[in-house]
């Protein structure tokens, strides 16, 4: 069986805020059709890794490759073409409150495609049905529950049929039942759409439900990359403490 090639390759990444080094010498490969969870204690650099991966912040050193191409050396237009093959679910959802859910999901299609209105309409309705929000299509964000807002933001992230989906703390602020329901949806989407998903979270229950692989960060360094079972048997004190006490 032919070995799969990673969809994202990070080598020797260093991330800084001003003169402060936040991540040091991060090297990891992320493989297709897997859910890779970035976890670790508070302030360890989880979201920073995600943002540097996507060039929301520029890494101070190292390389980041998507599908074998170094995105850090790309011109903005070329990199934007790469980003069109990805989706992003922000922690807060980042929905625009002044427009309907339908219009929110339409934004990436209007910005990045020249599809006729009829086709855009069909895509929007399909994506909202996919996340269980067909009935909320003309509602406004203020009319939705926290879990529904996350689903609406997820529909928008899926609008362009991304090959990779990035999620920053998707379960933040949700009750356990709603969080579990969102996890089941993410697992279903991975299976249905064959997506690669990268998730930042500190929610232990979610990690156990969804993770194929984990990246464990501590004090700006990567202590472990592998499966959850491998992590728990690796004998790394910081990881043992994290899972035993639920510290974050």
């Amino acid at each position: 069986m032919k070995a799969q090639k990673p969809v994202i390759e990070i080598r020797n990444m260093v991330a800084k805020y001003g003169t402060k080094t936040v991540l040091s010498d991060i090297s990891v490969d992320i493989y297709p059709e897997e859910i890779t969870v970035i976890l670790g204690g508070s302030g360890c650099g989880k979201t920073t890794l995600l943002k540097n991966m996507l060039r929301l912040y520029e890494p101070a050193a190292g390389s980041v490759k998507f599908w074998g191409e170094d995105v850090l050396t790309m011109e903005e237009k070329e990199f934007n073409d790469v980003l069109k093959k990805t989706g992003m679910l922000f922690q807060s959802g980042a929905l625009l409150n002044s427009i309907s859910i339908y219009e929110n999901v339409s934004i990436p299609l209007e910005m990045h495609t020249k599809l006729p209105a009829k086709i855009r309409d069909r895509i929007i309705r399909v994506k909202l049905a996919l996340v269980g929000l067909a009935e909320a299509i003309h509602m406004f964000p203020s009319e939705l529950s926290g879990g529904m807002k996350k689903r609406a933001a997820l529909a928008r992230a899926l609008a362009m049929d991304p090959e990779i989906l990035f999620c920053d703390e998707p379960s933040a602020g949700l009750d356990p039942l709603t969080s579990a329901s969102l996890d089941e949806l993410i697992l279903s989407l991975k299976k249905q759409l064959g997506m690669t998903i990268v998730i930042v979270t500190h929610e232990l229950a979610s990690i156990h439900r969804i993770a194929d692989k984990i990246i464990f960060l501590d004090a700006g360094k990567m202590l472990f990359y592998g499966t959850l079972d491998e992590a728990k048997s690796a004998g790394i004190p910081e990881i043992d403490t994290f899972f035993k006490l639920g510290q974050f």
Side-chain angles (χ1 to χ4, degrees), residues 28-224:
V28 68
D29 291 333
I30 293 172
Y31 287 90
E33 299 184 32
E34 290 185 347
I35 296 178
T36 300
V37 176
I38 304 170
L39 64 145
S42 180
C44 69
K46 300 186 293 292
T47 298
T48 299
L49 175 56
L50 192 67
K51 288 180 175 179
N52 276 262
M53 208 183 294
L54 291 167
R55 285 181 63 181
L56 296 174
Y57 295 120
E58 292 286 341
S63 68
V64 179
K65 292 182 179 181
F66 280 61
W67 298 289
E69 297 185 66
D70 190 346
V71 299
L72 302 185
T73 61
M74 288 180 177
E75 296 295 329
E76 188 173 350
K77 183 181 182 304
E78 190 181 3
F79 182 56
N80 284 338
D81 288 338
V82 171
L83 287 181
K84 288 175 188 176
K85 297 192 287 183
T86 72
M88 179 73 195
L89 174 59
F90 295 95
Q91 181 175 340
S92 63
L95 297 170
L96 298 180
N97 291 317
S98 59
I99 60 176
S100 69
I101 297 308
Y102 180 97
E103 292 168 305
N104 267 281
V105 178
S106 181
I107 290 171
L109 296 170
E110 291 182 35
M111 287 181 65
H112 302 301
T113 77
K114 295 181 180 178
L115 294 171
K118 257 187 187 177
I119 302 298
R120 290 203 309 269
D121 177 76
R122 192 178 307 162
I123 292 170
I124 293 164
R125 291 175 186 276
V126 166
K127 300 307 180 186
L128 285 168
L130 195 62
V131 300
L133 285 182
E135 303 301 317
I137 193 165
H138 296 303
M139 295 174 72
F140 283 76
S142 60
E143 300 176 284
L144 303 184
S145 67
M148 291 172 76
K149 286 179 183 177
K150 291 289 176 78
R151 286 171 178 261
L154 182 55
R156 186 181 60 190
L158 296 173
M160 296 281 290
D161 292 325
E163 295 180 41
I164 307 174
L165 175 67
F166 296 94
C167 306
D168 186 12
E169 299 282 6
S171 300
L174 301 181
D175 64 79
L177 285 177
T178 305
S179 177
S181 175
L182 184 61
D183 288 340
E184 290 302 319
L185 175 58
I186 288 170
L187 286 168
S188 173
L189 291 172
K190 182 193 87 161
K191 186 176 181 181
Q192 286 183 60
L193 306 177
M195 293 174 61
T196 304
I197 304 175
V198 180
I199 297 179
V200 169
T201 187
H202 61 249
E203 302 284 350
L204 291 179
S206 287
I207 293 163
H208 282 92
R209 280 191 291 261
I210 64 177
D212 292 311
K213 299 276 179 63
I214 68 166
I215 296 170
F216 192 93
L217 301 178
D218 183 71
K221 295 184 180 297
M222 188 175 77
L223 295 190
F224 178 85

